[in-house]
């Protein structure tokens, strides 16, 4: 069985980067893993703090995708590791959602995004599902730590 997630209001909504499970990382507090991820595109600029402090993850995503802001030159090389770092921290801190992630056993986890073909599966299922893959990697890391 495959576990699909997308909206924070659905079962497994805590897997979404938009879920309000804040954490401290890099000596700063982040409201969501979406805030953390989007802000990292602009490390060393005032845009990072602007995104960190914005109210909603939807607004953080909008700001992070705005190409009027100068994207860091190594973004394509570091984005997967940054996502992994933020997602891992989120699940390390919040034991309630850690238990949910661990309860998925060895099932495949898929971000059922109809628009994102990199982080999700896309409308036709042909996407890379990198967020789902990272969640499964984090599940394995947490499994090793908790045993």
């Amino acid at each position: 069985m495959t576990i699909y997630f997308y909206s924070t209001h659905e079962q497994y909504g805590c897997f979404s980067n938009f879920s309000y499970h804040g954490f401290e990382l890099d000596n700063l507090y982040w409201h969501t893993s979406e805030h953390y991820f989007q802000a990292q595109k602009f490390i060393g600029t005032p845009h990072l703090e602007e995104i960190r402090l914005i109210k909603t993850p939807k607004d953080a995503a909008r700001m992070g995708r705005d190409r009027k802001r100068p994207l860091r030159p190594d973004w394509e090389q570091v984005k997967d590791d940054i996502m992994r770092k933020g997602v891992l921290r989120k699940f390390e801190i919040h034991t309630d959602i850690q238990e949910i992630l661990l309860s998925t056993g060895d099932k495949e986890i898929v971000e059922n995004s109809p628009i994102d073909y990199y982080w999700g599966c896309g409308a036709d299922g042909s996407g890379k599902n990198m967020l789902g893959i990272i969640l499964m990697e984090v599940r394995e890391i947490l499994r090793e730590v908790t045993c």
Side-chain angles (χ1 to χ4, degrees):
M1 184 181 121
T2 301
I3 293 172
Y4 293 94
F5 73 95
Y6 186 58
S7 168
T8 58
H9 306 295
E10 299 169 347
Q11 186 180 19
Y12 302 108
C14 62
F15 294 175
S16 168
N17 283 330
F18 280 34
S19 73
Y20 282 97
H21 293 91
F23 53 86
E24 191 174 307
L25 189 56
D26 301 334
N27 297 313
L28 294 169
Y29 182 80
W30 304 93
H31 296 290
T32 68
S33 50
E34 187 70 17
H35 282 81
Y36 176 76
F37 177 77
Q38 295 296 341
Q40 298 311 300
K41 294 177 177 180
F42 311 103
I43 200 157
T45 75
H47 300 292
L48 182 140
E49 190 68 359
E50 202 179 333
I51 293 171
R52 185 180 78 82
L53 296 174
I54 198 75
K55 189 171 182 173
T56 69
K58 185 176 183 178
D59 288 337
R62 180 183 46 75
M63 291 172 74
R65 294 177 185 135
D66 180 359
R67 290 292 65 93
K68 292 178 188 142
R69 288 178 166 76
L71 190 65
R72 63 190 276 182
D74 65 345
W75 181 245
E76 288 303 314
Q77 289 75 45
V78 300
K79 67 182 181 182
D80 291 359
D81 289 336
I82 287 170
M83 180 68 81
R84 191 175 296 105
K85 184 177 176 181
V87 170
L88 176 60
R89 189 69 180 146
K90 170 182 161 178
F91 283 92
E92 284 174 333
I93 294 298
H94 297 280
T95 55
D96 56 335
I97 62 172
Q98 182 183 119
E99 288 177 20
I100 294 169
L101 181 59
L102 290 172
S103 77
T104 63
D106 291 324
K107 295 176 182 146
E108 182 180 17
I109 300 173
V110 175
E111 186 191 24
N112 198 20
S113 171
I115 55 172
D116 194 326
Y117 285 79
Y118 186 78
W119 297 110
C121 66
D124 63 2
S126 68
K128 289 188 176 211
N129 186 40
M130 285 305 298
L131 181 54
I133 290 168
I134 285 172
L135 282 161
M136 291 182 282
E137 291 171 358
V138 165
R139 177 178 66 194
E140 197 56 39
I141 291 166
L142 294 171
R143 194 179 285 154
E144 290 172 10
V145 171
T146 57
C147 288

